[in-house]
C-alpha cells in the first residue's frame, strides 16, 4: 500500500498514520523477470481513464486480439501477478465494475484465481480463455506499486496510446480584495490540470450538468447558479489560457474525463471566441459549510430521517454502506455495485461523487440483515432507496460481500497543519485544554475547548496529551437480540457471592447485608460482543500490567470493559453493574476467520476481526444487582468500552438499550436495540410505554 495522507481524523479523535506496504504481506518474485514462456504470445497493457501510469483497466492481447478480464472472483493475489506481467513489483489494490471505463472486444478471462506467486497469469485457474458470462461493465482493473522491476524489458508491455485527459480539477476564486478566503473554495473559475499544466475551460455550451460533475469531483453534493456577469466583467481585464472546450456532461459522471469534451490543439491560435472561462458555484455538505451562516441556514432546513450511513471507515466519507429498513439497519450486497450507486450514497450524505465503489467487505463485515442487492443507479437519484434494487434472502449474499464507498471530499487545508506527538519533557507551554470532540470535526481546533483559560498550569509530561496513530481500528458491537433472549432474574444466596463482592459486582447496600445469610436479586443476561472493524481489539495495557484475581482465578486486562445500568425513563440511574474484562478472547469466529486470542495459560487477550467474545449469563458479575430497585418501567443500558480506552472507528454503536418492565417478582426485557439503531419516531415510542404517566406500573 502506498503511504497514506494522515491529516483526516476518524470518529472520536482516532488519528491516522502511515500504513506500510509490508502489512499486506504481498508476494514478490525472487529474481528479475525474463520474457517467460508462459506469457509468450500474450501482451499486456493498462487502459481507461482517469488514471495514473501505474493503474488502469487490464487488457490482454491474445491471438492478435485485445480483451479484458472479468472481475468475478478477482483478488489482490491476481492483481500481484498481473502487475508483475506489466513490469511493476506488486499490486497495492484492484478495482471492479469497470472503474476505468468499460473495455471493448473479448473478455478473455473470468473467475480468475491466483495464489499470487505465479510467474504468469497463464498459471492461474480460470474458466478458460474467452469463456465468460460477464459484460464489460464488470471489467477488472489493477493499481500497481509505482516501482518497476529491475531489468524488466518493456517489450511485453504496451501502454494504450496516450490520450489527453483531465487529471485534476480546481476552482480559482476571483482575485478581488485582500482578505484571506475561507476554505473550502466553493466558487470560482474552473481550471483543469492537463499534462502541460493548468488551463481554463471555455464556457460556450457550459451547462448545469457540467457544474454538477465538477462539484462532485471537488467533494460537494450539488451546484447552484452563479453570477456569470460579474466573472465576465473580471475576465475582460485578464489573460486566459484555455485548454478545454465543448464539455457536454450528462450529470451522472463521477469524473469530468468521462464526459464528452474537446481539447484545444497546440496550433489553435483562436481559442474560445466570444466566450469566457467557465465558472462554477458549489453547495457544501453540512460537514463542510464554510461559514456559521451557512451552517445555520442548513440546520434550519427541515431534514428527513437519515436512511443511509457509513460505518467502519477511518476517514470522513468512507465506510461500509448501511441502510435503514423497518427500523433496522442492514448492509448492501456488492453485486453490481458500481461508481454510480456509490456516488448516489456519497451525495446523499453531503459529500461529492465516489472515488471508489468498494466490494468484498473492504470496510469490514456488517452484522444482521442484508437489505439490498444488485443496486442499479443511474446517478441522478436523490437517495439509494430510489435506485432499482433487489430484496434478498439470507442465501443470496453474505456479509463478506458488504459494499462500501470512498467519497470525494472538499479541500479544507487541514493537511497543511500537523498535530505533533513527541516527548513532552522539553515543552514549555500548553496551548489547549478541556478538549471535547464529537468525532466529526476536521481539525482539533474545531472541537470544544477552553478559550483563554488553560487548566494545565504546568507543561510536564504528566499533564500533556498524546496519541498513538493507526490507519485502521476495531469496531465493537453487542448482539442486542441475545440480551433480550437470555435475560432473567435470580435470587442468589450471599454465601455464593464472596468473589463477586470482592470484585465490586454488587450494589452498595450489599456491604451492610447479614453475610452469609440472605440473598441478592440479580438481573442476568448473556452478552456477545462482535468485532466488526478492520483491526483487532486489544487491551490498552500490556500483559505485564494485567491484574491477577485469585478468587476467580484469572487476569483482568482492562479495569472496565462494559457498564450495565438500569435507568428510569428520564435517564436517572437506579442500579448499575460493571464488567472488568474477565478475559478477552475469541469464543467463535466467522467461517473464514481463525481464532487468535485465548486466555488459557496467560495467553494473549483480544477479539479478532470477524470474531466475537461471549460472556454467558451464568458466570460471575454478568449481571446487575437490582435488589434495591422498586417495581416500575425502566431502561436496561449496556455500554461497551465506556471509557474509550481502546480506539474504535465508531463509538456510536457501543451502547445498547432495552425496555424493562419489573413487577417486583418478574422482569420483561424487550425492544433491545443499539443506541442509534432506531428511527427518531421509534426512539420516542421507546422512551415511554403507551399510557405511562410515571415510573410506576399502571
Amino acid at each position: 500500500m502506498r503511504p497514506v495522507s494522515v491529516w483526516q481524523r476518524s470518529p472520536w479523535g482516532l488519528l491516522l498514520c502511515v500504513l506500510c506496504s509490508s502489512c499486506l504481506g504481498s508476494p514478490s518474485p525472487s529474481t528479475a523477470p525474463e520474457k517467460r514462456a508462459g506469457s509468450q504470445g500474450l501482451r499486456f497493457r493498462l487502459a481507461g481513464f482517469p488514471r495514473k501510469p501505474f493503474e488502469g483497466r487490464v487488457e490482454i492481447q491474445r491471438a492478435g486480439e485485445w480483451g479484458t478480464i472479468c472481475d468475478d472472483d478477482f483478488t489482490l493475489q491476481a492483481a500481484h501477478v498481473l502487475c508483475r506481467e506489466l513490469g511493476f513489483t506488486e499490486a497495492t489494490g484492484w478495482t471492479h465494475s469497470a472503474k476505468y471505463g468499460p473495455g471493448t472486444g473479448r473478455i478473455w478471462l473470468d473467475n480468475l484465481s491466483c495464489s499470487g506467486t505465479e510467474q504468469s497469469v497463464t498459471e492461474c485457474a480460470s474458466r478458460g480463455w474467452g469463456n465468460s458470462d460477464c459484460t464489460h461493465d464488470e471489467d477488472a482493473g489493477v493499481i500497481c506499486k509505482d516501482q518497476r522491476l529491475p531489468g524488466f524489458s518493456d517489450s511485453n508491455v504496451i501502454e494504450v496510446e496516450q490520450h489527453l485527459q483531465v487529471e485534476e480539477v480546481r476552482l480559482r476564486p476571483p482575485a478581488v480584495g485582500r482578505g484571506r478566503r475561507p476554505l473550502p473554495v466553493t466558487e470560482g473559475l474552473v481550471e483543469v490540470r492537463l499534462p502541460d499544466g493548468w488551463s481554463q475551460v471555455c464556457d460556450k455550451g457550459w451547462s448545469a450538468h457540467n457544474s454538477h460533475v465538477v462539484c462532485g469531483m471537488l467533494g460537494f453534493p450539488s451546484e447552484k447558479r452563479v453570477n456569470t456577469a460579474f466573472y465576465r466583467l473580471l475576465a475582460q481585464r485578464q489573460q486566459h489560457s484555455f485548454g478545454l472546450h465543448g464539455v457536454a456532461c450528462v450529470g451522472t459522471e463521477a469524473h469530468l474525463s468521462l464526459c464528452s469534451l474537446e481539447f484545444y490543439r497546440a496550433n489553435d491560435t483562436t481559442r474560445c471566441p466570444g466566450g469566457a472561462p467557465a465558472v462554477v458555484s458549489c453547495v457544501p455538505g453540512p460537514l463542510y459549510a464554510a461559514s456559521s451562516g451557512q451552517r445555520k441556514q442548513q440546520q434550519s432546513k427541515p431534514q428527513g430521517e437519515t436512511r443511509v450511513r457509513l460505518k467502519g471507515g477511518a476517514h470522513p466519507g468512507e465506510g461500509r454502506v448501511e441502510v435503514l429498513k423497518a427500523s433496522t439497519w442492514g448492509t448492501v450486497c456488492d453485486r453490481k455495485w458500481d461508481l454510480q450507486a456509490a456516488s448516489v450514497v456519497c451525495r446523499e450524505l453531503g459529500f461529492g461523487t465516489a472515488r471508489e465503489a468498494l466490494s468484498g467487505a473492504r470496510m469490514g463485515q456488517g452484522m444482521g440483515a442484508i437489505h439490498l442487492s444488485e443496486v442499479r443507479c443511474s446517478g441522478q437519484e436523490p437517495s439509494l432507496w430510489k435506485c432499482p434494487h433487489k430484496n434478498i434472502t439470507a442465501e443470496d449474499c453474505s456479509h463478506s460481500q458488504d459494499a462500501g464507498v470512498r467519497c470525494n471530499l472538499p479541500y479544507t487545508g487541514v493537511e497543511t497543519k500537523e498535530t505533533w506527538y513527541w516527548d513532552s519533557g522539553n515543552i514549555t507551554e500548553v496551548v489547549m485544554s478541556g478538549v471535547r470532540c464529537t468525532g466529526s470535526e476536521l481539525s482539533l481546533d474545531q472541537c470544544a475547548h477552553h478559550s483563554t483559560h488553560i487548566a494545565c498550569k504546568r507543561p510536564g509530561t504528566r499533564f500533556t496529551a498524546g496519541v498513538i496513530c493507526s490507519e485502521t481500528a476495531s469496531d465493537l458491537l453487542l448482539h442486542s437480540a441475545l440480551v433480550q433472549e437470555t435475560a432473567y432474574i435470580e435470587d442468589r444466596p450471599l454465601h455464593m457471592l464472596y468473589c463477586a463482592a470482592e470484585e465490586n459486582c454488587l450494589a452498595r447496600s450489599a456491604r451492610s447485608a447479614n453475610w452469609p445469610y440472605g440473598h441478592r436479586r440479580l438481573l442476568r443476561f448473556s452478552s456477545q460482543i462482535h468485532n466488526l472493524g478492520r483491526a483487532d481489539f486489544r487491551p490498552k495495557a500490556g500483559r505485564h500490567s494485567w491484574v491477577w484475581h485469585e478468587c476467580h482465578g484469572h487476569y483482568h486486562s482492562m479495569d472496565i470493559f462494559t457498564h450495565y445500568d438500569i435507568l428510569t425513563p428520564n435517564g436517572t440511574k437506579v442500579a448499575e453493574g460493571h464488567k472488568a474484562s474477565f478475559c478477552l478472547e475469541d469464543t467463535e469466529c466467522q467461517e473464514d476467520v481463525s481464532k487468535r486470542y485465548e486466555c488459557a495459560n496467560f495467553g494473549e487477550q483480544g477479539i479478532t476481526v470477524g470474531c466475537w467474545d461471549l460472556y454467558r449469563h451464568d458466570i460471575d458479575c454478568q449481571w446487575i444487582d437490582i435488589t434495591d430497585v422498586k417495581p416500575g418501567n425502566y431502561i436496561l443500558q449496556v455500554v461497551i468500552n465506556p471509557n474509550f480506552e481502546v480506539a474504535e472507528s465508531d463509538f456510536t454503536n457501543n451502547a445498547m438499550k432495552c425496555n424493562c418492565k419489573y413487577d417486583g417478582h418478574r422482569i420483561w426485557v424487550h425492544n433491545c436495540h443499539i443506541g442509534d439503531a432506531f428511527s427518531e419516531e421509534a426512539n420516542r415510542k421507546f422512551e415511554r410505554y403507551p399510557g405511562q404517566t410515571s415510573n410506576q406500573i399502571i
Side-chain angles (χ1 to χ4, degrees):
M1 184 181 291
R2 298 194 307 272
V4 180
S5 172
V6 304
W7 64 270
Q8 291 171 308
R9 285 167 176 76
S10 63
W12 293 86
L14 173 65
L15 301 181
L16 311 180
C17 286
V18 174
L19 185 65
C20 65
S21 60
S22 62
C23 299
L24 292 173
S26 54
S28 58
S30 57
T31 58
E34 300 174 355
K35 198 169 182 72
R36 297 174 287 276
S39 293
Q40 290 291 338
L42 299 180
R43 306 177 87 180
F44 300 82
R45 69 184 183 189
L46 294 173
F49 61 88
R51 65 180 184 87
K52 295 183 175 64
F54 47 84
E55 64 177 320
R57 181 178 65 247
V58 179
E59 296 192 349
I60 305 176
Q61 188 187 53
R62 185 175 187 266
E65 185 177 0
W66 286 100
T68 63
I69 301 175
C70 179
D71 60 13
D72 288 353
D73 297 333
F74 200 90
T75 63
L76 185 63
Q77 285 67 36
H80 285 312
V81 176
L82 288 164
C83 282
R84 292 200 297 271
E85 293 271 27
L86 289 158
F88 298 96
T89 56
E90 62 182 355
T92 62
W94 64 277
T95 67
H96 61 94
S97 304
K99 176 185 176 180
Y100 301 102
T104 58
R106 300 284 293 273
I107 298 178
W108 278 122
L109 294 173
D110 191 0
N111 299 113
L112 185 64
S113 177
C114 306
S115 68
T117 59
E118 294 86 354
Q119 292 295 303
S120 166
V121 72
T122 59
E123 300 173 18
C124 300
S126 71
R127 296 180 61 164
W129 289 97
N131 183 10
S132 172
D133 59 359
C134 298
T135 68
H136 282 295
D137 288 335
E138 301 169 83
D139 283 344
V142 295
I143 305 168
C144 303
K145 186 176 182 180
D146 191 14
Q147 181 178 338
R148 285 287 188 176
L149 290 168
F152 186 86
S153 172
D154 283 342
S155 61
N156 194 40
V157 181
I158 300 179
E159 293 245 351
V160 172
E161 178 185 353
Q162 288 296 315
H163 296 289
L164 281 174
Q165 60 176 318
V166 176
E167 299 179 9
E168 195 176 344
V169 175
R170 71 183 181 188
L171 296 181
R172 184 164 62 84
V176 291
R178 297 184 178 181
R180 187 173 182 179
R181 298 189 175 277
L183 294 175
V185 175
T186 59
E187 182 178 303
L189 305 180
V190 179
E191 295 189 337
V192 295
R193 187 161 67 87
L194 304 177
D196 57 350
W198 289 94
S199 299
Q200 293 170 340
V201 182
C202 181
D203 70 350
K204 296 180 71 174
W206 189 263
S207 69
H209 291 318
N210 300 348
S211 299
H212 193 65
V213 173
V214 169
C215 289
M217 288 181 64
L218 296 173
F220 303 111
S222 59
E223 76 292 342
K224 64 179 180 180
R225 295 186 63 179
V226 64
N227 183 2
T228 55
F230 167 73
Y231 284 92
R232 280 184 171 267
L233 183 63
L234 289 178
Q236 297 174 4
R237 311 173 187 174
Q238 300 172 344
Q239 290 185 337
H240 305 289
S241 174
F242 292 103
L244 197 63
H245 68 107
V247 179
C249 300
V250 177
T252 60
E253 297 87 350
H255 196 284
L256 197 64
S257 286
L258 300 175
C259 301
S260 173
L261 44 82
E262 298 179 51
F263 295 89
Y264 284 111
R265 294 184 294 271
N267 58 355
D268 286 337
T269 55
T270 303
R271 301 190 177 193
C272 198
V279 180
V280 164
S281 182
C282 302
V283 178
L287 185 60
Y288 298 93
S291 67
S292 58
Q294 283 181 291
R295 286 196 178 96
K296 290 178 181 177
Q297 183 180 3
Q298 290 189 358
Q299 290 172 357
S300 64
K301 295 181 180 179
Q303 296 181 354
E305 178 185 335
T306 301
R307 299 186 66 196
V308 178
R309 68 184 185 185
L310 301 180
K311 291 290 184 179
H315 303 260
E318 71 172 24
R320 177 179 62 253
V321 178
E322 295 189 353
V323 294
L324 184 66
K325 180 180 180 183
S327 299
T328 302
W329 287 100
T331 61
V332 177
C333 184
D334 64 8
R335 290 179 184 169
K336 298 187 179 179
W337 186 249
D338 58 16
L339 276 176
Q340 275 67 39
S343 292
V344 169
V345 170
C346 290
R347 288 190 190 270
E348 183 177 0
L349 294 173
F351 304 107
T353 47
R355 286 193 295 119
E356 291 184 77
L358 304 173
S359 62
R362 293 266 300 278
M363 288 294 171
Q365 296 190 20
M367 186 177 173
I370 302 175
H371 287 324
L372 303 179
S373 181
E374 298 186 19
V375 179
R376 303 299 287 174
C377 301
S378 68
Q380 297 176 332
E381 296 85 355
S383 170
L384 191 68
W385 284 102
K386 299 294 184 182
C387 301
H389 59 270
K390 178 182 176 185
N391 295 316
I392 63 173
T393 63
E395 293 76 21
D396 290 331
C397 203
S398 68
H399 283 297
S400 63
Q401 297 170 268
D402 284 344
V405 298
R406 284 196 178 103
C407 305
N408 284 319
L409 307 179
Y411 173 76
T412 61
V414 176
E415 64 271 24
T416 61
K417 303 177 182 179
E418 294 190 15
T419 300
W420 297 97
Y421 171 48
W422 65 86
D423 179 16
S424 57
N426 60 350
I427 298 301
T428 59
E429 182 182 9
V430 176
V431 296
M432 295 181 75
S433 68
V435 179
R436 289 292 181 269
C437 302
T438 65
S440 62
E441 296 86 354
L442 301 176
S443 175
L444 201 61
D445 56 14
Q446 295 179 1
C447 299
H449 59 276
H450 296 154
S451 55
T452 56
H453 172 72
I454 304 299
C456 300
K457 298 298 183 182
R458 291 177 292 172
T461 304
R462 178 181 174 185
F463 303 100
T464 52
V467 298
I468 298 176
C469 301
S470 176
E471 173 66 17
T472 58
S474 58
D475 183 18
L476 298 187
L477 182 68
L478 182 68
H479 187 3
S480 57
L482 185 64
V483 174
Q484 181 170 317
E485 294 166 3
T486 58
Y488 65 96
I489 285 177
E490 179 193 13
D491 290 335
R492 193 163 183 81
L494 283 173
H495 68 84
M496 302 177 68
L497 292 173
Y498 280 103
C499 282
E502 178 186 311
E503 296 195 7
N504 198 29
C505 295
L506 300 176
R508 189 174 303 174
S509 62
R511 300 174 186 173
S512 58
N514 186 24
W515 292 79
Y517 308 105
H519 66 271
R520 302 298 294 181
R521 176 157 290 182
L522 309 175
L523 171 59
R524 285 184 172 273
F525 51 87
S526 297
S527 61
Q528 184 171 299
I529 299 167
H530 295 245
N531 183 0
L532 304 183
R534 299 166 62 199
D536 295 352
F537 184 92
R538 299 296 309 278
K540 176 183 178 181
R543 284 196 291 182
H544 64 280
S545 60
W546 294 355
V547 178
W548 173 256
H549 283 255
E550 184 66 35
C551 194
H552 281 133
H554 57 241
Y555 283 94
H556 284 189
S557 57
M558 293 176 66
D559 290 336
I560 300 292
F561 180 53
T562 52
H563 274 165
Y564 304 149
D565 298 312
I566 297 291
L567 311 173
T568 63
N570 65 8
T572 302
K573 186 184 299 184
V574 296
E576 65 181 353
H578 78 275
K579 183 75 172 173
S581 57
F582 276 2
C583 171
L584 294 174
E585 66 178 2
D586 297 327
T587 307
E588 296 291 342
C589 298
Q590 296 166 0
E591 184 177 349
D592 55 345
V593 179
S594 299
K595 298 179 182 180
R596 298 182 59 185
Y597 303 106
E598 187 176 8
C599 296
N601 302 317
F602 197 38
E604 290 288 347
Q605 294 193 25
I607 307 176
T608 304
V609 175
C611 298
W612 56 89
D613 192 1
L614 174 63
Y615 290 97
R616 287 176 51 87
H617 56 83
D618 54 359
I619 65 174
D620 260 10
C621 294
Q622 186 59 37
W623 62 56
I624 301 176
D625 184 349
I626 62 170
T627 305
D628 306 319
V629 175
K630 298 177 181 179
N633 297 315
Y634 296 98
I635 297 171
L636 166 62
Q637 177 176 277
V638 178
V639 183
I640 311 168
N641 192 15
N643 297 332
F644 315 118
E645 291 186 11
V646 178
E648 296 188 49
S649 60
D650 184 6
F651 284 105
T652 64
N653 57 5
N654 281 35
M656 183 220 69
K657 296 179 181 179
C658 304
N659 277 124
C660 291
K661 186 174 183 179
Y662 177 49
D663 66 0
H665 305 283
R666 296 166 297 173
I667 195 164
W668 291 265
V669 176
H670 62 98
N671 203 16
C672 293
H673 66 279
I674 300 303
D676 64 349
F678 271 178
S679 64
E680 293 181 7
E681 178 62 25
N683 272 324
R684 284 194 291 269
K685 293 179 180 177
F686 169 82
E687 291 174 1
R688 191 173 291 274
Y689 287 94
Q692 180 180 342
T693 58
S694 68
N695 194 39
Q696 300 302 311
I697 294 178
I698 59 175

